[in-house]
Protein backbone atom coordinates (compact mmCIF):
# COMPACT_ATOMS: atom_id res chain seq x y z
CA UNK A 1 0.00 0.00 0.00
CA UNK A 2 2.90 2.32 0.85
CA UNK A 3 4.76 1.80 -2.46
CA UNK A 4 1.74 2.69 -4.71
CA UNK A 5 1.24 5.82 -2.57
CA UNK A 6 4.86 6.88 -3.13
CA UNK A 7 4.49 6.21 -6.87
CA UNK A 8 1.29 8.26 -6.91
CA UNK A 9 2.91 11.23 -5.15
CA UNK A 10 5.94 11.02 -7.43
CA UNK A 11 3.68 11.07 -10.52
CA UNK A 12 1.80 14.12 -9.19
CA UNK A 13 5.01 16.02 -8.52
CA UNK A 14 6.53 15.06 -11.87
CA UNK A 15 3.32 16.05 -13.67
CA UNK A 16 3.43 19.57 -12.26
CA UNK A 17 7.09 20.02 -13.20
CA UNK A 18 6.60 18.69 -16.74
CA UNK A 19 3.28 20.51 -17.29
CA UNK A 20 4.46 23.94 -16.18
CA UNK A 21 7.63 23.66 -18.25
CA UNK A 22 5.66 22.47 -21.30
CA UNK A 23 3.12 25.28 -20.88
CA UNK A 24 5.87 27.88 -20.97
CA UNK A 25 7.75 26.32 -23.85
CA UNK A 26 4.67 25.57 -25.98
CA UNK A 27 3.36 29.11 -25.55
CA UNK A 28 6.81 30.57 -26.29
CA UNK A 29 7.13 28.45 -29.43
CA UNK A 30 3.64 29.28 -30.70
CA UNK A 31 3.90 33.01 -30.09
CA UNK A 32 7.59 33.29 -31.08
CA UNK A 33 8.79 34.33 -27.62
CA UNK A 34 12.00 33.41 -25.84
CA UNK A 35 10.28 32.18 -22.70
CA UNK A 36 12.31 31.53 -19.52
CA UNK A 37 15.86 31.02 -20.81
CA UNK A 38 18.10 32.61 -18.19
CA UNK A 39 17.70 30.23 -15.22
CA UNK A 40 19.63 27.08 -16.06
CA UNK A 41 20.02 25.33 -19.40
CA UNK A 42 16.91 26.04 -21.54
CA UNK A 43 15.29 27.54 -18.44
CA UNK A 44 15.07 24.16 -16.69
CA UNK A 45 15.84 25.66 -13.27
CA UNK A 46 13.08 28.26 -13.56
CA UNK A 47 10.62 25.85 -11.92
CA UNK A 48 12.87 25.42 -8.89
CA UNK A 49 13.25 29.20 -8.66
CA UNK A 50 9.45 29.59 -8.76
CA UNK A 51 8.99 26.95 -6.07
CA UNK A 52 11.50 28.65 -3.75
CA UNK A 53 9.77 31.98 -4.38
CA UNK A 54 6.34 30.55 -3.49
CA UNK A 55 7.67 29.01 -0.27
CA UNK A 56 9.14 32.36 0.75
CA UNK A 57 6.08 34.47 -0.04
CA UNK A 58 3.97 35.69 2.84
CA UNK A 59 0.73 33.79 3.38
CA UNK A 60 -1.77 36.66 3.39
CA UNK A 61 -5.34 36.19 4.61
CA UNK A 62 -7.63 39.23 4.07
CA UNK A 63 -8.74 40.82 7.33
CA UNK A 64 -12.46 40.56 6.53
CA UNK A 65 -12.32 37.11 4.92
CA UNK A 66 -13.93 34.02 6.44
CA UNK A 67 -10.57 32.67 7.55
CA UNK A 68 -11.54 29.02 8.10
CA UNK A 69 -13.23 28.64 4.73
CA UNK A 70 -10.54 30.72 3.01
CA UNK A 71 -7.79 28.40 4.25
CA UNK A 72 -9.71 25.18 3.62
CA UNK A 73 -10.87 25.93 0.04
CA UNK A 74 -7.54 25.17 -1.76
CA UNK A 75 -7.25 21.90 0.20
CA UNK A 76 -10.75 20.84 -0.86
CA UNK A 77 -10.04 21.62 -4.53
CA UNK A 78 -6.79 19.65 -4.31
CA UNK A 79 -8.35 16.64 -2.52
CA UNK A 80 -11.37 16.43 -4.85
CA UNK A 81 -9.28 16.38 -8.00
CA UNK A 82 -6.50 14.06 -6.88
CA UNK A 83 -8.94 11.54 -5.37
CA UNK A 84 -10.00 10.86 -8.96
CA UNK A 85 -6.62 9.30 -9.77
CA UNK A 86 -7.40 6.44 -7.37
CA UNK A 87 -9.55 4.55 -9.90
CA UNK A 88 -7.43 5.06 -13.03
CA UNK A 89 -5.82 1.87 -14.40
CA UNK A 90 -2.19 2.67 -15.22
CA UNK A 91 -1.35 -0.80 -16.60
CA UNK A 92 -3.15 -4.12 -16.98
CA UNK A 93 -2.37 -4.97 -13.33
CA UNK A 94 -1.57 -1.61 -11.67
CA UNK A 95 -4.59 0.28 -10.40
CA UNK A 96 -5.27 2.09 -7.15
CA UNK A 97 -8.86 0.96 -6.65
CA UNK A 98 -10.52 -1.60 -8.90
CA UNK A 99 -13.96 -0.12 -8.28
CA UNK A 100 -16.75 -1.66 -10.34
CA UNK A 101 -18.31 1.81 -10.61
CA UNK A 102 -15.05 3.66 -11.30
CA UNK A 103 -16.53 5.93 -13.96
CA UNK A 104 -19.35 7.01 -11.65
CA UNK A 105 -16.94 7.57 -8.74
CA UNK A 106 -14.60 9.65 -10.87
CA UNK A 107 -17.32 11.97 -12.18
CA UNK A 108 -18.82 12.32 -8.71
CA UNK A 109 -15.64 13.01 -6.72
CA UNK A 110 -14.20 15.51 -9.21
CA UNK A 111 -17.45 17.49 -9.06
CA UNK A 112 -16.62 18.38 -5.46
CA UNK A 113 -14.04 20.90 -6.66
CA UNK A 114 -17.03 23.17 -7.42
CA UNK A 115 -17.56 23.51 -3.67
CA UNK A 116 -13.92 24.45 -3.17
CA UNK A 117 -14.04 27.09 -5.91
CA UNK A 118 -17.28 28.58 -4.57
CA UNK A 119 -15.85 28.48 -1.05
CA UNK A 120 -12.69 30.30 -2.18
CA UNK A 121 -14.65 33.05 -3.93
CA UNK A 122 -17.18 33.56 -1.14
CA UNK A 123 -14.70 33.43 1.75
CA UNK A 124 -12.37 35.98 0.09
CA UNK A 125 -14.97 38.75 0.64
CA UNK A 126 -13.98 40.20 -2.73
CA UNK A 127 -16.52 40.96 -5.45
CA UNK A 128 -14.17 39.89 -8.24
CA UNK A 129 -13.45 36.59 -6.50
CA UNK A 130 -17.17 35.98 -5.94
CA UNK A 131 -18.01 36.74 -9.59
CA UNK A 132 -15.26 34.38 -10.74
CA UNK A 133 -16.55 31.65 -8.42
CA UNK A 134 -20.14 32.03 -9.62
CA UNK A 135 -19.03 31.93 -13.25
CA UNK A 136 -17.05 28.79 -12.56
CA UNK A 137 -19.96 27.05 -10.85
CA UNK A 138 -22.36 27.95 -13.69
CA UNK A 139 -19.84 26.78 -16.28
CA UNK A 140 -18.79 23.52 -14.64
CA UNK A 141 -22.32 22.46 -13.63
CA UNK A 142 -23.59 23.19 -17.16
CA UNK A 143 -20.80 21.32 -18.95
CA UNK A 144 -21.11 18.30 -16.67
CA UNK A 145 -24.28 17.45 -18.62
CA UNK A 146 -22.58 16.94 -22.03
CA UNK A 147 -19.55 15.46 -20.24
CA UNK A 148 -21.76 12.86 -18.56
CA UNK A 149 -23.57 12.10 -21.82
CA UNK A 150 -20.28 11.59 -23.68
CA UNK A 151 -19.08 9.16 -21.00
CA UNK A 152 -22.47 7.43 -21.10
CA UNK A 153 -22.00 6.75 -24.83
CA UNK A 154 -18.89 4.71 -23.98
CA UNK A 155 -20.63 2.96 -21.09
CA UNK A 156 -23.46 1.89 -23.42
CA UNK A 157 -21.00 0.45 -25.95
CA UNK A 158 -18.79 -1.31 -23.38
CA UNK A 159 -21.59 -2.25 -20.95
CA UNK A 160 -19.31 -1.49 -18.00
CA UNK A 161 -18.52 1.23 -15.45
CA UNK A 162 -15.21 -0.42 -14.55
CA UNK A 163 -12.34 1.52 -16.14
CA UNK A 164 -10.04 -1.52 -16.13
CA UNK A 165 -12.64 -3.65 -17.89
CA UNK A 166 -13.15 -0.90 -20.47
CA UNK A 167 -9.36 -0.91 -20.99
CA UNK A 168 -9.20 -4.68 -21.51
CA UNK A 169 -11.99 -4.54 -24.11
CA UNK A 170 -9.82 -2.30 -26.31
CA UNK A 171 -6.90 -4.68 -26.81
CA UNK A 172 -5.61 -8.20 -27.34
CA UNK A 173 -6.77 -9.43 -23.94
CA UNK A 174 -10.47 -8.72 -24.37
CA UNK A 175 -12.77 -11.44 -23.05
CA UNK A 176 -15.13 -10.94 -26.00
CA UNK A 177 -14.27 -10.85 -29.73
CA UNK A 178 -13.64 -7.48 -31.34
CA UNK A 179 -14.98 -6.86 -34.83
CA UNK A 180 -14.02 -3.98 -37.10
CA UNK A 181 -16.36 -1.06 -36.39
CA UNK A 182 -17.97 -3.29 -33.77
CA UNK A 183 -20.31 -4.93 -36.30
CA UNK A 184 -20.33 -8.71 -36.01
CA UNK A 185 -22.20 -9.01 -39.31
CA UNK A 186 -19.14 -7.77 -41.24
CA UNK A 187 -17.20 -10.79 -40.02
CA UNK A 188 -13.86 -8.95 -39.76
CA UNK A 189 -12.45 -10.17 -36.44
CA UNK A 190 -9.60 -7.94 -35.23
CA UNK A 191 -9.27 -9.56 -31.79
CA UNK A 192 -5.87 -11.06 -32.66
CA UNK A 193 -4.71 -7.93 -34.49
CA UNK A 194 -5.11 -5.46 -31.62
CA UNK A 195 -3.63 -1.99 -31.83
CA UNK A 196 -5.75 1.01 -32.75
CA UNK A 197 -8.23 -1.25 -34.60
CA UNK A 198 -9.70 -2.36 -31.25
CA UNK A 199 -9.96 1.11 -29.70
CA UNK A 200 -13.45 2.37 -28.88
CA UNK A 201 -13.27 5.07 -31.55
CA UNK A 202 -13.17 2.25 -34.14
CA UNK A 203 -15.40 -0.21 -32.31
CA UNK A 204 -18.00 2.50 -32.82
CA UNK A 205 -16.86 5.18 -35.32
CA UNK A 206 -19.35 7.68 -33.89
CA UNK A 207 -17.34 7.61 -30.67
CA UNK A 208 -14.67 9.63 -32.49
CA UNK A 209 -17.18 12.48 -32.69
CA UNK A 210 -18.09 11.85 -29.05
CA UNK A 211 -14.42 12.10 -28.11
CA UNK A 212 -14.11 15.51 -29.78
CA UNK A 213 -17.11 16.73 -27.77
CA UNK A 214 -15.70 15.10 -24.62
CA UNK A 215 -12.47 17.03 -25.18
CA UNK A 216 -14.37 20.32 -25.57
CA UNK A 217 -16.27 19.71 -22.33
CA UNK A 218 -13.06 18.91 -20.45
CA UNK A 219 -11.68 22.30 -21.50
CA UNK A 220 -14.70 23.88 -19.82
CA UNK A 221 -14.40 21.61 -16.76
CA UNK A 222 -10.76 22.59 -16.26
CA UNK A 223 -11.40 26.32 -16.84
CA UNK A 224 -8.94 26.32 -19.72
CA UNK A 225 -9.10 28.76 -22.63
CA UNK A 226 -11.27 29.48 -24.50
CA UNK A 227 -13.46 28.62 -21.49
CA UNK A 228 -11.39 30.45 -18.85
CA UNK A 229 -14.09 32.99 -17.93
CA UNK A 230 -13.75 32.26 -14.17
CA UNK A 231 -10.11 33.46 -14.38
CA UNK A 232 -10.59 36.29 -16.89
CA UNK A 233 -7.70 38.62 -16.01
CA UNK A 234 -9.06 41.47 -18.13
CA UNK A 235 -12.30 41.59 -16.12
CA UNK A 236 -11.82 39.82 -12.80
CA UNK A 237 -8.11 40.34 -12.03
CA UNK A 238 -7.61 36.58 -11.49
CA UNK A 239 -11.09 35.36 -10.60
CA UNK A 240 -11.85 33.22 -7.57
CA UNK A 241 -8.20 32.96 -6.47
CA UNK A 242 -7.46 36.72 -6.60
CA UNK A 243 -6.81 36.98 -2.84
CA UNK A 244 -4.59 33.91 -2.58
CA UNK A 245 -0.82 34.12 -2.30
CA UNK A 246 2.17 31.93 -1.61
CA UNK A 247 1.70 28.22 -1.37
CA UNK A 248 -2.11 28.37 -1.13
CA UNK A 249 -2.09 29.92 -4.60
CA UNK A 250 0.29 27.16 -5.72
CA UNK A 251 -2.15 24.53 -4.39
CA UNK A 252 -4.87 25.84 -6.70
CA UNK A 253 -2.61 25.68 -9.76
CA UNK A 254 -1.29 22.29 -8.69
CA UNK A 255 -4.91 21.15 -8.83
CA UNK A 256 -5.43 22.80 -12.24
CA UNK A 257 -2.60 20.88 -13.85
CA UNK A 258 -3.75 17.79 -11.98
CA UNK A 259 -7.24 17.91 -13.45
CA UNK A 260 -5.78 18.52 -16.92
CA UNK A 261 -3.85 15.26 -16.62
CA UNK A 262 -6.84 13.48 -15.05
CA UNK A 263 -9.31 14.29 -17.83
CA UNK A 264 -6.68 13.62 -20.51
CA UNK A 265 -6.00 10.17 -19.05
CA UNK A 266 -9.74 9.54 -18.73
CA UNK A 267 -10.22 10.40 -22.41
CA UNK A 268 -7.38 8.02 -23.33
CA UNK A 269 -8.93 5.23 -21.24
CA UNK A 270 -12.45 5.65 -22.57
CA UNK A 271 -11.71 6.31 -26.24
CA UNK A 272 -8.06 5.72 -27.19
CA UNK A 273 -7.26 2.23 -25.99
CA UNK A 274 -6.08 3.11 -22.47
CA UNK A 275 -2.74 1.35 -21.75
CA UNK A 276 -3.00 -0.80 -24.90
CA UNK A 277 -0.48 -0.27 -27.69
CA UNK A 278 -1.60 1.57 -30.85
CA UNK A 279 0.57 -0.76 -32.96
CA UNK A 280 -1.31 -3.74 -34.50
CA UNK A 281 -0.03 -7.26 -35.08
CA UNK A 282 1.02 -7.62 -38.73
CA UNK A 283 1.35 -11.29 -39.67
CA UNK A 284 4.22 -12.82 -37.70
CA UNK A 285 5.25 -9.39 -36.38
CA UNK A 286 3.39 -9.30 -33.08
CA UNK A 287 3.81 -5.57 -32.60
CA UNK A 288 0.72 -5.23 -30.39
CA UNK A 289 1.82 -8.06 -28.12
CA UNK A 290 5.46 -6.97 -27.94
CA UNK A 291 4.55 -3.34 -27.14
CA UNK A 292 1.82 -4.15 -24.62
CA UNK A 293 3.18 -7.16 -22.75
CA UNK A 294 1.40 -10.04 -21.08
CA UNK A 295 -0.66 -8.92 -18.04
CA UNK A 296 1.47 -9.12 -14.90
CA UNK A 297 4.84 -9.10 -16.68
CA UNK A 298 7.42 -6.35 -16.19
CA UNK A 299 7.08 -5.34 -19.81
CA UNK A 300 3.36 -4.70 -19.26
CA UNK A 301 4.22 -2.24 -16.46
CA UNK A 302 6.68 -0.36 -18.64
CA UNK A 303 4.70 -0.36 -21.88
CA UNK A 304 1.30 0.17 -20.26
CA UNK A 305 2.42 3.22 -18.29
CA UNK A 306 4.26 4.60 -21.32
CA UNK A 307 1.29 4.35 -23.70
CA UNK A 308 -1.27 5.70 -21.23
CA UNK A 309 0.80 8.73 -20.23
CA UNK A 310 1.88 9.36 -23.82
CA UNK A 311 -1.79 9.59 -24.83
CA UNK A 312 -2.57 11.69 -21.75
CA UNK A 313 0.21 14.19 -22.38
CA UNK A 314 -0.76 14.42 -26.03
CA UNK A 315 -4.18 15.57 -24.83
CA UNK A 316 -2.55 18.10 -22.50
CA UNK A 317 -0.39 19.46 -25.33
CA UNK A 318 -3.53 20.03 -27.43
CA UNK A 319 -5.09 21.85 -24.45
CA UNK A 320 -2.06 24.13 -24.29
CA UNK A 321 -2.12 24.62 -28.06
CA UNK A 322 -5.77 25.71 -27.91
CA UNK A 323 -5.11 28.06 -24.98
CA UNK A 324 -2.51 30.04 -26.91
CA UNK A 325 -4.51 30.02 -30.16
CA UNK A 326 -8.20 30.74 -29.55
CA UNK A 327 -9.75 33.87 -27.98
CA UNK A 328 -12.00 33.63 -24.93
CA UNK A 329 -15.74 32.99 -25.36
CA UNK A 330 -18.37 35.36 -24.02
CA UNK A 331 -20.59 33.88 -21.31
CA UNK A 332 -23.64 33.79 -23.62
CA UNK A 333 -21.62 31.98 -26.31
CA UNK A 334 -20.35 29.52 -23.74
CA UNK A 335 -23.85 28.64 -22.49
CA UNK A 336 -25.32 28.49 -25.99
CA UNK A 337 -22.63 26.01 -27.06
CA UNK A 338 -23.41 23.82 -24.05
CA UNK A 339 -27.22 23.75 -24.05
CA UNK A 340 -28.13 24.37 -27.69
CA UNK A 341 -25.34 22.55 -29.53
CA UNK A 342 -23.42 19.94 -27.53
CA UNK A 343 -26.21 18.54 -25.33
CA UNK A 344 -28.78 17.91 -28.15
CA UNK A 345 -26.03 16.53 -30.40
CA UNK A 346 -24.90 14.10 -27.69
CA UNK A 347 -28.45 12.89 -27.07
CA UNK A 348 -28.56 11.86 -30.75
CA UNK A 349 -25.12 10.22 -30.46
CA UNK A 350 -26.26 8.35 -27.35
CA UNK A 351 -29.17 6.91 -29.34
CA UNK A 352 -26.77 5.93 -32.14
CA UNK A 353 -24.42 4.29 -29.61
CA UNK A 354 -27.33 2.26 -28.25
CA UNK A 355 -28.22 1.04 -31.74
CA UNK A 356 -24.54 0.30 -32.44
CA UNK A 357 -24.35 -1.84 -29.31
CA UNK A 358 -27.25 -3.92 -30.63
CA UNK A 359 -25.37 -4.36 -33.93
CA UNK A 360 -22.22 -5.44 -32.06
CA UNK A 361 -23.99 -8.51 -30.64
CA UNK A 362 -26.19 -9.18 -33.68
Amino acid sequence: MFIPLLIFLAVIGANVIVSVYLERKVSAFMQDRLGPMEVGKWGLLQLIADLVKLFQKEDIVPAKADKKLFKFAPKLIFMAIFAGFAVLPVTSTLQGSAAQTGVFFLLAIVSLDILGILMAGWASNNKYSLLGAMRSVAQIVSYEVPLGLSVLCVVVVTQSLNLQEISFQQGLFSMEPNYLFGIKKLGIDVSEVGGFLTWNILRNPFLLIVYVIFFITTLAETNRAPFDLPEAESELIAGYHTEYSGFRWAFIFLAEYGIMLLVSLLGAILFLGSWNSPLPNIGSFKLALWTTGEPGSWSSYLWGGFWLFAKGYLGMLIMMWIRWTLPRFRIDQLMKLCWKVLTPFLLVLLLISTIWRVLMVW
Side-chain angles (χ1 to χ4, degrees), residues 257-270:
Y257 283 107
I259 195 170
M260 284 174 64
L261 179 62
L262 179 63
V263 296
S264 297
L265 292 177
L266 179 61
I269 292 167
L270 294 178

Side-chain angles (χ1 to χ4, degrees), residues 314-354:
L314 178 60
M316 288 185 68
L317 282 171
I318 297 174
M319 285 184 174
M320 295 173 185
W321 175 20
I322 290 173
R323 174 180 178 179
W324 299 102
T325 303
L326 299 179
R328 182 180 298 133
F329 280 133
R330 296 195 313 264
I331 188 68
D332 61 309
Q333 294 172 328
L334 182 141
M335 290 301 177
K336 180 180 179 181
L337 177 66
C338 175
W339 294 109
K340 293 186 177 181
V341 180
L342 299 184
T343 300
F345 201 51
L346 276 170
L347 288 171
V348 174
L349 288 170
L350 180 59
L351 176 61
I352 293 172
S353 297
T354 306

Side-chain angles (χ1 to χ4, degrees), residues 62-219:
K64 294 186 178 181
D66 187 323
K67 292 179 175 57
K68 290 183 179 179
L69 293 181
F70 183 86
K71 292 179 179 179
F72 181 66
K75 299 175 185 176
L76 179 59
I77 297 171
F78 180 86
M79 290 187 295
I81 290 170
F82 284 97
F85 284 92
V87 294
L88 293 185
V90 180
T91 70
S92 56
T93 51
L94 181 60
Q95 184 179 14
S97 173
Q100 292 299 316
T101 55
V103 174
F104 178 77
F105 169 83
L106 185 57
L107 295 178
I109 196 70
V110 172
S111 298
L112 291 177
D113 76 320
I114 298 173
L115 297 178
I117 291 172
L118 185 59
M119 193 181 295
W122 175 264
S124 295
N125 196 24
N126 178 311
K127 63 181 180 181
Y128 296 109
S129 298
L130 181 58
L131 283 171
M134 294 305 294
R135 278 185 180 183
S136 186
V137 171
Q139 176 175 307
I140 293 175
V141 170
S142 297
Y143 275 83
E144 278 182 352
V145 175
L147 176 65
L149 287 172
S150 62
V151 173
L152 192 57
C153 289
V154 178
V155 172
V156 166
V157 171
T158 59
Q159 295 290 288
S160 176
L161 290 169
N162 188 323
L163 289 169
Q164 187 68 286
E165 187 176 332
I166 292 173
S167 300
F168 270 107
Q169 288 186 25
Q170 300 178 76
L172 293 173
F173 309 110
S174 175
M175 298 299 292
E176 59 182 48
N178 272 318
Y179 295 94
L180 188 62
F181 303 130
I183 303 177
K184 188 176 181 181
K185 194 73 173 178
L186 289 177
I188 306 175
D189 191 344
V190 293
S191 302
E192 300 298 324
V193 178
F196 67 92
L197 294 174
T198 54
W199 291 2
N200 276 334
I201 56 172
L202 283 182
R203 295 176 74 203
N204 176 354
F206 288 96
L207 287 185
L208 179 58
I209 304 172
V210 175
Y211 176 61
V212 173
I213 299 175
F214 171 87
F215 186 82
I216 293 171
T217 60
T218 56
L219 289 175

